[in-house]
Structure formats: C-alpha cells, structure tokens
Amino acid sequence: MPVMLNETERSCAKNIRLRLLLLILLASLAACSSQSPADKLHKELRTVVSWAATSRMVGEALQNGKVLQGYAARTFEAAGRNLQEESRTIDKSADIPAEERAGAQAQIARLEQIVGQLKSMVEGKDNAALSQQVEQLKVEEQSLKSSLRGDSSQP
Amino acid sequence: MKKALEIALGIVTSVGGFLEIGSITTAAQGGASFRFQLIWAILLGGLCLIFLVEQSGRLAAVSRHTITDAIRERFGFNYFIFLLIILSLVILLVLGAEIGGVCVALEFITGVGFQWWAVPVALLIWLIIWKGTFSFIEDGASILGLVTVCFLVAAIVLHPPWKEVAHGALPTLPASDKAHYWFIVVSILGASISPYLMFFYSSGAVEDKWDESYINANRAISVLGMSFGTVLSVAVLIVSALVYLPRGIQVEHYSQLPLMLIDAFGYWGFILFAASLGIACLGATLEITLEIAYMVAQGFGWNWSENQRPREEARFSLVYTVIIILGALLVVVGIDPLKLTIFSMALTAATLPVAIVPFLFLMNDEAYMHEHRNGFLSNAVVIFIIGMTFVLAVVTIPLEIFGGG
C-alpha cells in the first residue's frame, strides 16, 4: 500500500536528500585531495622545482639582457621567501619519514643559498658572476627533478 | 556607414578590453599545470559570455533600461539591495585585484614594490573618471588594450602542436590533481562570466543611447568581440603551456608571469607583458569602478552618467571616489594580487546565480522586451548557465579549500 507523505514530511525528505548530495560532493572532493606522505612530499618538491626553474629562467634572462635588474632582484627575493616557506611546511609534516624530510630540506637549503647569492649579485650589479650561480642552480634543479621522477616511478 | 564604424569600434573595444588580471592569471595557471587540457573551460566561458552580453545589450536597446534598473523595477527594492550587497562585495575584491595588476606591472618595470604604487594608481583612476567621458574611457582604454594581441602573436610564433591544441577544446580529466584541475576550471569560468561585464555593457548601451536599430550591431559586437577576446585568453593558455610546463614552473606568484613572453620576443616580451598587464588592468579598473557606481546610482534613482559633470551628479561621483579608495586599500595593506585574483574569481563564480536568474526573467518579460524576447536557443543557454552556476556556487568553497593551494 503506498504511503502518503504530508507537506512537512516531503520537505524534510527533500532537505535530507540535498544534505546527502552535498555530503557526497564534499566527500568526493576530499577523496580527490587526500594525500599520502609520499604525495605530500612530491607536491612540495614540485613547488620547490618550480621556484628553482623560475630563478634559473630569470638568471638566464638577466644574463642575456631580457629582463630588468629590479624585476630580477624582486623575483629572487620572492623565490627565497617561498623556498623558506616550503622548508617550513616540510618540517611541519610529521607524517613524511624523517630521512626524506632531512634530504628535501638539505636540497632546499642549497637552493636558498644560491638564490640569495643571485639576489646579492643583482643588487651589487655584479652580472659577470651570475653565470656560475646559474649553472649551480641548474645542477640542483636537475637533481631535484630526477629525485621527483624517481619518486613518481615508485609503486 | 556610421553604424558600420560603430560596430568596428565596438568589436575593437571588446577585444582590447577582454583580457584582465583574472583571465590572464587563470589561463596562465591552467596552461602551466595542465598544458592544453583546459582550453575547453575558456571556450565554454567565452560562449556563455557571448550569449549574456548579447542579451544585456538587447535588453538595454529595446527597453532603454540597464540591468540594474530593470531588476529593481521588476523584482523590487529588497532584491535589488540583496544583489547590490553581494555583487558589490565581490566586485570590490575584483577591483582590488585589478588595481593590484596595474601596480604589479609598474613593479616589473621600476622594481619598486607594488604596494607603493597603490595610491598613485588610485589617483590616476579617479582623475580619469572625474575628467573623462564614457567614450573616452571605454574606447581609450580598449584601444590601448589591443597591445594584448601580442599573446596571440606569441602563441603563433612558438609553433604549438595545433592538433593537441584542438584536442584541448574537448573536456578531459587529468590523471592526478583533480581538485586543483576543477578549482582552475571554476576560476576560469568566474573570470570569463563576470556579472560586472554584463552590467557594464548594458549601462554603456544606455550611455550611448542605443535603441532597437542597434539590435544587429549589438549582436555583431558581442559575438565577434567576445569571440576574438576568447581567442586571446586561449592564446595566453597556449603560451603558458609552452613556456612554463616544460620547465616545471607552476604559476603561484605574480613575479613568474612576465617570463611568459620572453621565449617569443626576448627583452620586448618582458616589456610587452608589463604593458599588456598594466593597460588591461587599468581598463578593467575603470569599468569596474564605474559599474559599482552605476549600480548604486541606478538602484537608488540618483543622477548617473559618466558624460555629466561631477557637480551635476555629486552622489554618483562620491560613490566611485569611495570605491576607488576601498579597492586601493586592499593593495596598500599588501594582499598578494595573484592570491586576491584567484580568490575573487572563484567567489565571482559562486555568486553568479543571484545575477543571472533574474536576468532570465527579464529577457522573457514582454513588458521590457516586446517582440525581442529570448528565443528557444537563448533561453536554453541561459538555463544551462544558471544550472552550471548553481553547481559552481556549491563547489567553489570546498574546491577553494582542497584545490586552491
């Protein structure tokens, strides 16, 4: 026998359906973004690579006279700040194994140092010394990229 | 002949005024993170915008009402106030982002921090609006904005794989980073379907005294102008995909943006990017400031016209003065313009339904539209947009949390 619902019951059922839909949506979004420690480290390292690549591109462009010095100095400053932030984020991520955290932080520290030197050189208008730092940056960037590739090839 | 010239000028201004900080950064982020995979989102946003802008112009030409006017008249003062509060808050954030864009462009050229430029830029905006007429502002900024065509030239110069570009027109899901992918989709749509564009277009049509004889001109301007504008956005995404992605650069900070055109044009690419960003954002800033002032003045029944002297419309002038100060304050306090842009674009997407639902009713109201009411296709598209904007409104905040970073 069909059960007849009154107006209040119908509206209540509709509300529950809407809430359920919203909950499912939120859960699927959360599932999309849930990260294992390895994923988390991978994501942070991608940001680090991004800043290393940005600094190298700016350094090379500056050597070839393709960007202005003021812009380059500000970008190196932003890169240094963001690398520092990444280092702090990794430090706070207790779920990432300590050994991997230490390795990543050492790489970031080396990058920070190079980017800091690049900034000082630009501010001191010492463009001649840029090429050596840019080369070092390239080496660090390649090493980061290969560790990222190794990371992603793991099962 | 006169109308043909007006159409040509209308198309030029639509193209020149299309790009702004929202469309540039969202397209750049899309290309840097997902190569050509998000071209479909830009095309979808552009298509929606063509329909909405055409209808805004038709409403103004047939009824001689701006959208704000018509909404207040048809839905009452209470709904108007609700709409005004919601839209003004979101548009104010967008204004802050656009002022930030002008300041950042100046930082690129001078090396002086963007916050320091907020007050001079605000003064410049105020002076242009105070002294300028509507056509001076609209045509001047947009014609200068044609410099943004450099993105299209760069996309061609960099020889993208056109077959792969064409594949990007069809939606596909990425293998990973799905939350980030959808967050960028929402931001791209928010940057494309900005309510302020529709509202400003209808106010402009009333300022230019459009009547029913402009219906075809309006169609040509909205279809051709917005289509070419969308092509420019796609060009930004293509250039970004070719320059940033192979190097592993993700666009997370505004200082990464000017590198975009260096591969194509060398030193001039850097200058062209700064000029494009500065001019595009200045144009958008003028339009947004005027739009909020138009909304308030039209809603409260005050004198409003950018062609009148400030003393003849003191309250309208006061509103835009206050708005410029508030927008500039967001930059002075040092909020990152890129973060503000992405946040405001996502929020724009979330607030779209409140502006578009009443619009559908207006476009089908015989009292306003006479025999020029929406046909089946126009209604179907607006209903699709409403459905899509409701989904965007629901998912924006969770995506901001899970995919915004």
Side-chain angles (χ1 to χ4, degrees), chain B residues 31-42:
Chain B
S33 300
F34 300 101
R35 200 164 156 85
F36 307 125
Q37 244 181 322
L38 282 167
I39 288 178
W40 69 269
I42 297 178

Side-chain angles (χ1 to χ4, degrees), chain A residues 3 47 49 104 113 123 127 131 133:
Chain A
V3 181
T47 307
V49 167
Q113 199 190 1
E123 282 170 349
N127 281 10
S131 57
Q133 296 301 320

Side-chain angles (χ1 to χ4, degrees), chain A residues 22 25-26 29-30 32-33 43 46-47 49-51 53-54 57-58 60-61 65-68 70-71 74-75 78 81-82 141 145, chain B residues 107-109 111-113 177-179 243 246-250 252-253 255-256 258-259 262-263 266-267 270 394-395 398-399 402 405:
Chain A
L22 195 65
L25 197 73
L26 281 172
L29 278 170
C32 280
S33 63
K43 187 177 169 256
R46 259 173 44 196
T47 307
V49 167
S50 167
W51 278 109
T54 304
M57 197 175 172
V58 172
E60 286 169 350
K66 290 180 182 173
V67 293
L68 297 171
Y71 160 75
R74 287 210 160 259
T75 308
R81 233 181 9 247
N82 280 280
E141 189 193 327
K145 277 183 176 165
Chain B
E107 178 185 309
F108 293 154
I109 298 295
V112 176
D177 276 350
K178 288 192 179 71
V243 173
R247 292 179 164 100
I249 298 177
Q250 302 168 325
E252 291 163 335
H253 193 265
S255 65
Q256 292 163 314
L259 301 170
I262 285 176
D263 282 0
Y267 171 74
F270 176 79
V394 174
V395 301
L399 279 175
F402 296 119

Side-chain angles (χ1 to χ4, degrees), chain B residues 3 66 69 158 218 227 245-246 270 293 322 356 373 377 392:
Chain B
K3 207 145 263 177
T66 64
D69 251 349
L158 292 173
N218 167 55
S227 301
L245 192 70
F270 176 79
V322 172
I356 298 177
R373 280 175 295 163
L377 180 67
L392 293 181

Side-chain angles (χ1 to χ4, degrees), chain A residues 87-101:
Chain A
S87 178
R88 274 199 297 270
T89 310
I90 292 173
D91 190 39
K92 279 184 206 156
S93 307
D95 49 346
I96 298 172
E99 198 182 323
E100 285 179 29
R101 253 189 301 164

Side-chain angles (χ1 to χ4, degrees), chain B residues 57-73:
Chain B
R58 183 151 42 94
L59 173 78
V62 175
S63 72
R64 320 280 207 280
H65 280 69
T66 64
I67 301 177
T68 312
D69 251 349
I71 286 180
R72 191 202 54 178
E73 208 175 85

